[in-house]
Amino acid sequence: MIRQAAAMAIETGGGQLAATLSLFTQAFSRLEAAGRIVRDFRQADDGNIWIFGYLLDAVRDAGTVEKFERRHCDHTRMLTDIVSSLEWAGHARAASVVRMRMPTASSSVRKGPAYDDLQRQAHMRRFASFAWGVTLEMHGKGIWPTNDDIDAYRQAYEAAVIPGDTPSFLLDVRDLVSDIALEVALFDEAAAARIEAFRGWKRPIL
């Protein structure tokens, strides 16, 4: 399963991730040079956005950095709870989408080339999402350049980060919930809102 998942991730979004991260990196570099992004909080004002320097560097280096955060979760219980909630509310189609995530809710594999490839893809995916979030925040505050078409970044991001393209165990609770909700929202917004309510889910203490 790990080998298949790695191949699928590279085939779907993997080829786009490096290009998308490069696109955001170039934009952030221009914005930093123009003073619209600052690394020093003392320089922050209404005309820019303050971002920790290591996060900007992480967007740039996500595909090449030697050491990075590796996540390995077990979401079996949470996904089971989401399915139960959706079925109770009559969202059968949405529940079936969540069930499709169950085979990758956990994994006993923790090493090997394919596993390492998946971890790298997941790391790059996280920082592509971070970069897109920064872009949206700057656009919302009116500090994104009007001559830089945000739709180009949206299209690049959506081509690189596809709901369901990453095994569930590699995502944290918030990322996984958001990923499922995004997929479900295409056909059932009420079900997506119910799923989003699980963003704060915590494993019960037994």
Side-chain angles (χ1 to χ4, degrees):
M1 185 273 288
I2 292 293
R3 239 187 330 265
Q4 293 173 338
M8 178 180 176
I10 293 171
E11 181 180 348
T12 54
Q16 290 284 339
L17 277 168
T20 298
L21 287 164
S22 178
L23 182 69
F24 282 119
T25 295
Q26 292 173 38
F28 291 168
S29 180
R30 292 193 299 270
L31 291 165
E32 188 173 3
R36 299 196 184 193
I37 289 179
V38 296
R39 299 181 182 225
D40 186 343
F41 75 92
R42 291 169 296 183
Q43 298 175 343
D45 56 39
D46 292 340
N48 59 35
I49 185 172
W50 165 50
I51 304 174
F52 286 113
Y54 76 88
L55 291 174
L56 292 172
D57 294 342
V59 173
R60 180 194 64 205
D61 300 331
T64 57
V65 66
E66 182 178 350
K67 294 183 179 180
F68 56 89
E69 180 185 5
R70 292 169 175 254
R71 297 179 180 176
H72 192 115
C73 307
D74 184 345
H75 294 301
T76 305
R77 178 65 181 272
M78 182 184 75
L79 292 181
T80 300
D81 287 352
I82 294 176
V83 168
S84 297
S85 175
L86 292 171
E87 288 182 333
W88 179 84
H91 299 288
R93 184 179 174 188
S96 68
V97 169
V98 180
R99 282 198 196 89
M100 291 178 64
R101 307 293 186 104
M102 292 293 286
T104 64
S106 63
S107 174
S108 59
V109 178
R110 290 180 177 268
K111 62 182 179 179
Y115 179 79
D116 291 341
D117 285 344
L118 278 176
Q119 286 285 359
R120 171 71 70 182
Q121 294 295 321
H123 177 72
M124 293 171 69
R125 189 186 200 268
R126 282 194 292 275
F127 278 96
S129 295
F130 167 76
W132 175 234
V134 169
T135 302
L136 287 176
E137 183 176 352
M138 294 185 70
H139 187 263
K141 290 182 175 180
I143 54 178
W144 185 266
T146 56
N147 62 347
D148 199 355
D149 186 5
I150 193 174
D151 282 340
Y153 297 88
R154 184 192 310 277
Q155 291 168 12
Y157 174 71
E158 291 178 350
V161 179
I162 303 167
D165 69 348
T166 302
S168 300
F169 72 87
L170 292 172
L171 304 175
D172 64 17
V173 168
R174 293 171 63 87
D175 288 344
L176 179 57
V177 167
S178 294
D179 196 61
I180 298 172
L182 185 62
E183 183 175 1
V184 169
L186 296 174
F187 61 86
D188 190 339
E189 292 187 359
R194 180 171 284 271
I195 292 168
E196 284 281 6
F198 281 83
R199 285 169 63 87
W201 188 89
K202 296 185 183 299
R203 181 182 298 278
I205 299 176
L206 302 178

